[in-house]
Amino acid sequence: MAGSNEVNLSESKRVVPLNTWILISNFKLAYNLLRRPDGTFNRHLAEFLDRKVPANANPVDGVFSFDVIIDRTTSLLSRIYRPATGEEAHPSIMELKKPVTGDVVPVILFFHGGSFAHSSANSAIYDTLCRRLVGICKAVVVSVNYRRAPENPYPCAYDDGWAALKWVHSRPWLKSADSKVHVYMAGDSSGGNIVHNVALKAVESGIEILGNILLNPMFGGQERTESEKQLDRKYFVTLQDRDWYWRAFLPEGEDRDHAACNPFGPNGKSLVGMKFPKSLVVIAGLDLVQDWQLAYVEGLKKAGQEVKQLYLDKATIGFYLLPNNDHFYIVMDELSNFVSSNC
């Protein structure tokens, strides 16, 4: 079975609720159909299989949403989520962009997961998650529809994240009472990876970010760690999967010690002396890349940066997508506290 792409689904079934197991198992099946051995990707089938939802100016779960083109040259789009006040029945575009109210309104720049290749800002699972973040964090959420690999490899996703961050900071209607946009960044899987790399550029450019939230962030390296060896093929993910996605994303000829994959590895950039945003790193104890996530936390600590680690021993990937487990509620409380600590 070494190097196999088969997953022991029965083992996964014993540790997650049934509907979560069905959701992630279906993703796994679809993902296997989409990846080709030659490194190409069946994008047409991917778009067909990905259940999408449109933006909705009429409130759903107390939140309305609308789509905005940020960069026409790259067709970069973001979906904006705002809490409904109860006054808007059928708001116009001008009402959708009315100034935020309240002394401090957090703006969460969100990057969806999918290993740089799957999902989008209008995927149903991420639309639901972003609506939850609005209510839980009392925030405006801007979900970035970044370009995906392998058609758009490194650094396209980072460039799109950077463009979205600058756009958010430039919107007058996102400013709080102190005339500042109070920006946090959040993402899961590849989205967590994007958060780190966009934050690096922001620090170098003097653009303020109040905090980074990384949910099961996608990091790696050339060395095979103990968690990779022990958890390969056990809980939805295989090393063969991970390696395929890194080859699809990284520059041609680069290995997994590239700084995009291994930020504190031999080619990484030192954060010592930098004013890096505070970070919340959520780690699932049954995620095979957890050792790389733990190494990321240690890298931040060694560089003198503020970081909180939340390690959930029996959690698997994707546990935060459905409110059917204790881990979900623990993480949502942590996110709320993390964002509100600056308010």
PDB file of all heavy atoms in Angstrom, residues 20-46:
ATOM      1  N   THR A  20     -20.564  14.404   8.140  1.00  0.00           N
ATOM      2  CA  THR A  20     -19.229  14.900   7.803  1.00  0.00           C
ATOM      3  C   THR A  20     -18.464  13.858   6.986  1.00  0.00           C
ATOM      4  O   THR A  20     -17.786  14.196   6.008  1.00  0.00           O
ATOM      5  CB  THR A  20     -18.437  15.243   9.077  1.00  0.00           C
ATOM      6  OG1 THR A  20     -19.123  16.257   9.803  1.00  0.00           O
ATOM      7  CG2 THR A  20     -17.032  15.728   8.731  1.00  0.00           C
ATOM      8  N   TRP A  21     -18.584  12.601   7.398  1.00  0.00           N
ATOM      9  CA  TRP A  21     -17.920  11.522   6.667  1.00  0.00           C
ATOM     10  C   TRP A  21     -18.412  11.462   5.228  1.00  0.00           C
ATOM     11  O   TRP A  21     -17.623  11.327   4.291  1.00  0.00           O
ATOM     12  CB  TRP A  21     -18.187  10.197   7.371  1.00  0.00           C
ATOM     13  CG  TRP A  21     -17.506   9.009   6.748  1.00  0.00           C
ATOM     14  CD1 TRP A  21     -16.226   8.585   6.971  1.00  0.00           C
ATOM     15  CD2 TRP A  21     -18.066   8.107   5.787  1.00  0.00           C
ATOM     16  NE1 TRP A  21     -15.949   7.465   6.206  1.00  0.00           N
ATOM     17  CE2 TRP A  21     -17.067   7.153   5.474  1.00  0.00           C
ATOM     18  CE3 TRP A  21     -19.311   8.012   5.170  1.00  0.00           C
ATOM     19  CZ2 TRP A  21     -17.276   6.124   4.562  1.00  0.00           C
ATOM     20  CZ3 TRP A  21     -19.529   6.980   4.260  1.00  0.00           C
ATOM     21  CH2 TRP A  21     -18.519   6.049   3.972  1.00  0.00           C
ATOM     22  N   ILE A  22     -19.714  11.596   5.032  1.00  0.00           N
ATOM     23  CA  ILE A  22     -20.286  11.577   3.678  1.00  0.00           C
ATOM     24  C   ILE A  22     -19.781  12.765   2.869  1.00  0.00           C
ATOM     25  O   ILE A  22     -19.371  12.619   1.707  1.00  0.00           O
ATOM     26  CB  ILE A  22     -21.827  11.566   3.745  1.00  0.00           C
ATOM     27  CG1 ILE A  22     -22.321  10.242   4.328  1.00  0.00           C
ATOM     28  CG2 ILE A  22     -22.435  11.799   2.360  1.00  0.00           C
ATOM     29  CD1 ILE A  22     -23.803  10.223   4.634  1.00  0.00           C
ATOM     30  N   LEU A  23     -19.792  13.958   3.481  1.00  0.00           N
ATOM     31  CA  LEU A  23     -19.350  15.168   2.786  1.00  0.00           C
ATOM     32  C   LEU A  23     -17.906  15.043   2.311  1.00  0.00           C
ATOM     33  O   LEU A  23     -17.601  15.227   1.124  1.00  0.00           O
ATOM     34  CB  LEU A  23     -19.490  16.382   3.714  1.00  0.00           C
ATOM     35  CG  LEU A  23     -18.951  17.713   3.181  1.00  0.00           C
ATOM     36  CD1 LEU A  23     -19.830  18.228   2.055  1.00  0.00           C
ATOM     37  CD2 LEU A  23     -18.851  18.754   4.302  1.00  0.00           C
ATOM     38  N   ILE A  24     -16.997  14.698   3.236  1.00  0.00           N
ATOM     39  CA  ILE A  24     -15.579  14.669   2.877  1.00  0.00           C
ATOM     40  C   ILE A  24     -15.257  13.478   1.983  1.00  0.00           C
ATOM     41  O   ILE A  24     -14.416  13.570   1.083  1.00  0.00           O
ATOM     42  CB  ILE A  24     -14.702  14.691   4.152  1.00  0.00           C
ATOM     43  CG1 ILE A  24     -15.005  15.951   4.973  1.00  0.00           C
ATOM     44  CG2 ILE A  24     -13.223  14.663   3.783  1.00  0.00           C
ATOM     45  CD1 ILE A  24     -14.213  16.059   6.255  1.00  0.00           C
ATOM     46  N   SER A  25     -15.942  12.348   2.198  1.00  0.00           N
ATOM     47  CA  SER A  25     -15.721  11.191   1.321  1.00  0.00           C
ATOM     48  C   SER A  25     -16.138  11.492  -0.112  1.00  0.00           C
ATOM     49  O   SER A  25     -15.469  11.080  -1.067  1.00  0.00           O
ATOM     50  CB  SER A  25     -16.499   9.978   1.845  1.00  0.00           C
ATOM     51  OG  SER A  25     -16.017   9.579   3.103  1.00  0.00           O
ATOM     52  N   ASN A  26     -17.222  12.243  -0.274  1.00  0.00           N
ATOM     53  CA  ASN A  26     -17.645  12.642  -1.617  1.00  0.00           C
ATOM     54  C   ASN A  26     -16.626  13.577  -2.255  1.00  0.00           C
ATOM     55  O   ASN A  26     -16.344  13.489  -3.454  1.00  0.00           O
ATOM     56  CB  ASN A  26     -19.019  13.306  -1.563  1.00  0.00           C
ATOM     57  CG  ASN A  26     -20.141  12.305  -1.382  1.00  0.00           C
ATOM     58  OD1 ASN A  26     -19.968  11.116  -1.666  1.00  0.00           O
ATOM     59  ND2 ASN A  26     -21.292  12.759  -0.916  1.00  0.00           N
ATOM     60  N   PHE A  27     -16.088  14.494  -1.446  1.00  0.00           N
ATOM     61  CA  PHE A  27     -15.023  15.362  -1.962  1.00  0.00           C
ATOM     62  C   PHE A  27     -13.841  14.517  -2.431  1.00  0.00           C
ATOM     63  O   PHE A  27     -13.282  14.738  -3.511  1.00  0.00           O
ATOM     64  CB  PHE A  27     -14.545  16.336  -0.889  1.00  0.00           C
ATOM     65  CG  PHE A  27     -15.470  17.480  -0.619  1.00  0.00           C
ATOM     66  CD1 PHE A  27     -15.483  18.101   0.610  1.00  0.00           C
ATOM     67  CD2 PHE A  27     -16.334  17.949  -1.592  1.00  0.00           C
ATOM     68  CE1 PHE A  27     -16.331  19.160   0.880  1.00  0.00           C
ATOM     69  CE2 PHE A  27     -17.188  19.009  -1.348  1.00  0.00           C
ATOM     70  CZ  PHE A  27     -17.194  19.614  -0.102  1.00  0.00           C
ATOM     71  N   LYS A  28     -13.462  13.564  -1.593  1.00  0.00           N
ATOM     72  CA  LYS A  28     -12.314  12.714  -1.904  1.00  0.00           C
ATOM     73  C   LYS A  28     -12.527  11.967  -3.220  1.00  0.00           C
ATOM     74  O   LYS A  28     -11.626  11.905  -4.075  1.00  0.00           O
ATOM     75  CB  LYS A  28     -12.096  11.727  -0.754  1.00  0.00           C
ATOM     76  CG  LYS A  28     -11.047  10.655  -1.014  1.00  0.00           C
ATOM     77  CD  LYS A  28      -9.664  11.238  -1.129  1.00  0.00           C
ATOM     78  CE  LYS A  28      -8.651  10.140  -1.422  1.00  0.00           C
ATOM     79  NZ  LYS A  28      -7.309  10.680  -1.646  1.00  0.00           N
ATOM     80  N   LEU A  29     -13.718  11.405  -3.398  1.00  0.00           N
ATOM     81  CA  LEU A  29     -14.034  10.692  -4.631  1.00  0.00           C
ATOM     82  C   LEU A  29     -13.946  11.621  -5.835  1.00  0.00           C
ATOM     83  O   LEU A  29     -13.348  11.279  -6.869  1.00  0.00           O
ATOM     84  CB  LEU A  29     -15.438  10.077  -4.532  1.00  0.00           C
ATOM     85  CG  LEU A  29     -15.963   9.362  -5.779  1.00  0.00           C
ATOM     86  CD1 LEU A  29     -15.075   8.165  -6.125  1.00  0.00           C
ATOM     87  CD2 LEU A  29     -17.410   8.910  -5.558  1.00  0.00           C
ATOM     88  N   ALA A  30     -14.530  12.813  -5.705  1.00  0.00           N
ATOM     89  CA  ALA A  30     -14.500  13.767  -6.805  1.00  0.00           C
ATOM     90  C   ALA A  30     -13.070  14.205  -7.118  1.00  0.00           C
ATOM     91  O   ALA A  30     -12.668  14.289  -8.290  1.00  0.00           O
ATOM     92  CB  ALA A  30     -15.361  14.984  -6.458  1.00  0.00           C
ATOM     93  N   TYR A  31     -12.305  14.485  -6.064  1.00  0.00           N
ATOM     94  CA  TYR A  31     -10.937  14.955  -6.274  1.00  0.00           C
ATOM     95  C   TYR A  31     -10.096  13.924  -7.019  1.00  0.00           C
ATOM     96  O   TYR A  31      -9.256  14.265  -7.855  1.00  0.00           O
ATOM     97  CB  TYR A  31     -10.279  15.289  -4.937  1.00  0.00           C
ATOM     98  CG  TYR A  31     -10.835  16.518  -4.238  1.00  0.00           C
ATOM     99  CD1 TYR A  31     -11.897  17.244  -4.785  1.00  0.00           C
ATOM    100  CD2 TYR A  31     -10.318  16.950  -3.021  1.00  0.00           C
ATOM    101  CE1 TYR A  31     -12.403  18.362  -4.143  1.00  0.00           C
ATOM    102  CE2 TYR A  31     -10.818  18.070  -2.371  1.00  0.00           C
ATOM    103  CZ  TYR A  31     -11.863  18.768  -2.934  1.00  0.00           C
ATOM    104  OH  TYR A  31     -12.360  19.870  -2.302  1.00  0.00           O
ATOM    105  N   ASN A  32     -10.315  12.647  -6.706  1.00  0.00           N
ATOM    106  CA  ASN A  32      -9.571  11.598  -7.402  1.00  0.00           C
ATOM    107  C   ASN A  32      -9.914  11.543  -8.893  1.00  0.00           C
ATOM    108  O   ASN A  32      -9.078  11.180  -9.717  1.00  0.00           O
ATOM    109  CB  ASN A  32      -9.850  10.238  -6.761  1.00  0.00           C
ATOM    110  CG  ASN A  32      -9.164  10.074  -5.416  1.00  0.00           C
ATOM    111  OD1 ASN A  32      -8.254  10.835  -5.080  1.00  0.00           O
ATOM    112  ND2 ASN A  32      -9.599   9.109  -4.642  1.00  0.00           N
ATOM    113  N   LEU A  33     -11.148  11.900  -9.223  1.00  0.00           N
ATOM    114  CA  LEU A  33     -11.559  11.918 -10.628  1.00  0.00           C
ATOM    115  C   LEU A  33     -10.939  13.097 -11.385  1.00  0.00           C
ATOM    116  O   LEU A  33     -10.741  13.028 -12.601  1.00  0.00           O
ATOM    117  CB  LEU A  33     -13.088  12.016 -10.725  1.00  0.00           C
ATOM    118  CG  LEU A  33     -13.903  10.806 -10.257  1.00  0.00           C
ATOM    119  CD1 LEU A  33     -15.385  11.164 -10.242  1.00  0.00           C
ATOM    120  CD2 LEU A  33     -13.645   9.610 -11.153  1.00  0.00           C
ATOM    121  N   LEU A  34     -10.637  14.159 -10.676  1.00  0.00           N
ATOM    122  CA  LEU A  34     -10.220  15.413 -11.317  1.00  0.00           C
ATOM    123  C   LEU A  34      -8.722  15.489 -11.581  1.00  0.00           C
ATOM    124  O   LEU A  34      -8.294  16.104 -12.554  1.00  0.00           O
ATOM    125  CB  LEU A  34     -10.653  16.594 -10.447  1.00  0.00           C
ATOM    126  CG  LEU A  34     -12.158  16.694 -10.166  1.00  0.00           C
ATOM    127  CD1 LEU A  34     -12.454  17.809  -9.181  1.00  0.00           C
ATOM    128  CD2 LEU A  34     -12.932  16.909 -11.458  1.00  0.00           C
ATOM    129  N   ARG A  35      -7.926  14.882 -10.702  1.00  0.00           N
ATOM    130  CA  ARG A  35      -6.470  14.927 -10.865  1.00  0.00           C
ATOM    131  C   ARG A  35      -6.038  13.901 -11.906  1.00  0.00           C
ATOM    132  O   ARG A  35      -6.462  12.748 -11.868  1.00  0.00           O
ATOM    133  CB  ARG A  35      -5.766  14.626  -9.543  1.00  0.00           C
ATOM    134  CG  ARG A  35      -6.028  15.616  -8.447  1.00  0.00           C
ATOM    135  CD  ARG A  35      -5.113  15.327  -7.255  1.00  0.00           C
ATOM    136  NE  ARG A  35      -5.233  13.955  -6.792  1.00  0.00           N
ATOM    137  CZ  ARG A  35      -6.052  13.549  -5.845  1.00  0.00           C
ATOM    138  NH1 ARG A  35      -6.844  14.409  -5.235  1.00  0.00           N
ATOM    139  NH2 ARG A  35      -6.101  12.275  -5.476  1.00  0.00           N
ATOM    140  N   ARG A  36      -5.160  14.317 -12.801  1.00  0.00           N
ATOM    141  CA  ARG A  36      -4.633  13.398 -13.808  1.00  0.00           C
ATOM    142  C   ARG A  36      -3.167  13.108 -13.502  1.00  0.00           C
ATOM    143  O   ARG A  36      -2.444  13.972 -12.990  1.00  0.00           O
ATOM    144  CB  ARG A  36      -4.763  14.008 -15.202  1.00  0.00           C
ATOM    145  CG  ARG A  36      -6.210  14.311 -15.623  1.00  0.00           C
ATOM    146  CD  ARG A  36      -6.245  14.793 -17.066  1.00  0.00           C
ATOM    147  NE  ARG A  36      -7.598  15.096 -17.515  1.00  0.00           N
ATOM    148  CZ  ARG A  36      -8.014  16.315 -17.863  1.00  0.00           C
ATOM    149  NH1 ARG A  36      -7.178  17.349 -17.782  1.00  0.00           N
ATOM    150  NH2 ARG A  36      -9.250  16.498 -18.285  1.00  0.00           N
ATOM    151  N   PRO A  37      -2.702  11.897 -13.821  1.00  0.00           N
ATOM    152  CA  PRO A  37      -1.313  11.526 -13.529  1.00  0.00           C
ATOM    153  C   PRO A  37      -0.284  12.437 -14.187  1.00  0.00           C
ATOM    154  O   PRO A  37       0.837  12.571 -13.683  1.00  0.00           O
ATOM    155  CB  PRO A  37      -1.203  10.094 -14.068  1.00  0.00           C
ATOM    156  CG  PRO A  37      -2.601   9.573 -14.052  1.00  0.00           C
ATOM    157  CD  PRO A  37      -3.473  10.753 -14.362  1.00  0.00           C
ATOM    158  N   ASP A  38      -0.651  13.060 -15.329  1.00  0.00           N
ATOM    159  CA  ASP A  38       0.316  13.918 -16.020  1.00  0.00           C
ATOM    160  C   ASP A  38       0.383  15.325 -15.429  1.00  0.00           C
ATOM    161  O   ASP A  38       1.070  16.199 -15.961  1.00  0.00           O
ATOM    162  CB  ASP A  38      -0.002  13.985 -17.520  1.00  0.00           C
ATOM    163  CG  ASP A  38      -1.348  14.650 -17.817  1.00  0.00           C
ATOM    164  OD1 ASP A  38      -2.062  15.033 -16.858  1.00  0.00           O
ATOM    165  OD2 ASP A  38      -1.697  14.782 -19.013  1.00  0.00           O
ATOM    166  N   GLY A  39      -0.330  15.552 -14.320  1.00  0.00           N
ATOM    167  CA  GLY A  39      -0.282  16.852 -13.654  1.00  0.00           C
ATOM    168  C   GLY A  39      -1.351  17.819 -14.116  1.00  0.00           C
ATOM    169  O   GLY A  39      -1.455  18.926 -13.564  1.00  0.00           O
ATOM    170  N   THR A  40      -2.156  17.444 -15.098  1.00  0.00           N
ATOM    171  CA  THR A  40      -3.252  18.308 -15.533  1.00  0.00           C
ATOM    172  C   THR A  40      -4.483  18.037 -14.683  1.00  0.00           C
ATOM    173  O   THR A  40      -4.520  17.107 -13.874  1.00  0.00           O
ATOM    174  CB  THR A  40      -3.564  18.106 -17.026  1.00  0.00           C
ATOM    175  OG1 THR A  40      -3.930  16.731 -17.241  1.00  0.00           O
ATOM    176  CG2 THR A  40      -2.355  18.465 -17.880  1.00  0.00           C
ATOM    177  N   PHE A  41      -5.504  18.840 -14.898  1.00  0.00           N
ATOM    178  CA  PHE A  41      -6.666  18.840 -14.020  1.00  0.00           C
ATOM    179  C   PHE A  41      -7.917  19.015 -14.861  1.00  0.00           C
ATOM    180  O   PHE A  41      -7.942  19.842 -15.772  1.00  0.00           O
ATOM    181  CB  PHE A  41      -6.517  19.999 -13.023  1.00  0.00           C
ATOM    182  CG  PHE A  41      -7.532  20.040 -11.924  1.00  0.00           C
ATOM    183  CD1 PHE A  41      -7.373  19.277 -10.779  1.00  0.00           C
ATOM    184  CD2 PHE A  41      -8.641  20.874 -12.011  1.00  0.00           C
ATOM    185  CE1 PHE A  41      -8.290  19.336  -9.746  1.00  0.00           C
ATOM    186  CE2 PHE A  41      -9.562  20.940 -10.980  1.00  0.00           C
ATOM    187  CZ  PHE A  41      -9.393  20.169  -9.846  1.00  0.00           C
ATOM    188  N   ASN A  42      -8.967  18.243 -14.567  1.00  0.00           N
ATOM    189  CA  ASN A  42     -10.211  18.330 -15.324  1.00  0.00           C
ATOM    190  C   ASN A  42     -11.063  19.456 -14.745  1.00  0.00           C
ATOM    191  O   ASN A  42     -11.958  19.224 -13.931  1.00  0.00           O
ATOM    192  CB  ASN A  42     -10.956  16.992 -15.268  1.00  0.00           C
ATOM    193  CG  ASN A  42     -12.093  16.933 -16.269  1.00  0.00           C
ATOM    194  OD1 ASN A  42     -12.669  17.953 -16.660  1.00  0.00           O
ATOM    195  ND2 ASN A  42     -12.455  15.723 -16.676  1.00  0.00           N
ATOM    196  N   ARG A  43     -10.782  20.671 -15.180  1.00  0.00           N
ATOM    197  CA  ARG A  43     -11.456  21.839 -14.625  1.00  0.00           C
ATOM    198  C   ARG A  43     -12.944  21.864 -14.967  1.00  0.00           C
ATOM    199  O   ARG A  43     -13.784  22.263 -14.148  1.00  0.00           O
ATOM    200  CB  ARG A  43     -10.775  23.119 -15.109  1.00  0.00           C
ATOM    201  CG  ARG A  43     -11.374  24.417 -14.562  1.00  0.00           C
ATOM    202  CD  ARG A  43     -11.247  24.519 -13.054  1.00  0.00           C
ATOM    203  NE  ARG A  43      -9.861  24.530 -12.614  1.00  0.00           N
ATOM    204  CZ  ARG A  43      -9.476  24.359 -11.354  1.00  0.00           C
ATOM    205  NH1 ARG A  43     -10.374  24.115 -10.416  1.00  0.00           N
ATOM    206  NH2 ARG A  43      -8.200  24.375 -11.027  1.00  0.00           N
ATOM    207  N   HIS A  44     -13.308  21.445 -16.179  1.00  0.00           N
ATOM    208  CA  HIS A  44     -14.724  21.460 -16.562  1.00  0.00           C
ATOM    209  C   HIS A  44     -15.537  20.545 -15.656  1.00  0.00           C
ATOM    210  O   HIS A  44     -16.627  20.913 -15.193  1.00  0.00           O
ATOM    211  CB  HIS A  44     -14.872  21.043 -18.023  1.00  0.00           C
ATOM    212  CG  HIS A  44     -14.300  22.026 -18.997  1.00  0.00           C
ATOM    213  ND1 HIS A  44     -14.776  23.320 -19.111  1.00  0.00           N
ATOM    214  CD2 HIS A  44     -13.279  21.918 -19.892  1.00  0.00           C
ATOM    215  CE1 HIS A  44     -14.088  23.970 -20.032  1.00  0.00           C
ATOM    216  NE2 HIS A  44     -13.170  23.140 -20.523  1.00  0.00           N
ATOM    217  N   LEU A  45     -15.019  19.360 -15.388  1.00  0.00           N
ATOM    218  CA  LEU A  45     -15.726  18.449 -14.501  1.00  0.00           C
ATOM    219  C   LEU A  45     -15.736  18.989 -13.074  1.00  0.00           C
ATOM    220  O   LEU A  45     -16.731  18.847 -12.353  1.00  0.00           O
ATOM    221  CB  LEU A  45     -15.080  17.058 -14.538  1.00  0.00           C
ATOM    222  CG  LEU A  45     -15.726  15.985 -13.654  1.00  0.00           C
ATOM    223  CD1 LEU A  45     -17.190  15.780 -14.027  1.00  0.00           C
ATOM    224  CD2 LEU A  45     -14.954  14.668 -13.760  1.00  0.00           C
ATOM    225  N   ALA A  46     -14.642  19.623 -12.658  1.00  0.00           N
ATOM    226  CA  ALA A  46     -14.564  20.198 -11.313  1.00  0.00           C
ATOM    227  C   ALA A  46     -15.656  21.239 -11.106  1.00  0.00           C
ATOM    228  O   ALA A  46     -16.320  21.274 -10.063  1.00  0.00           O
ATOM    229  CB  ALA A  46     -13.187  20.810 -11.080  1.00  0.00           C
TER     230      ALA A  46
END
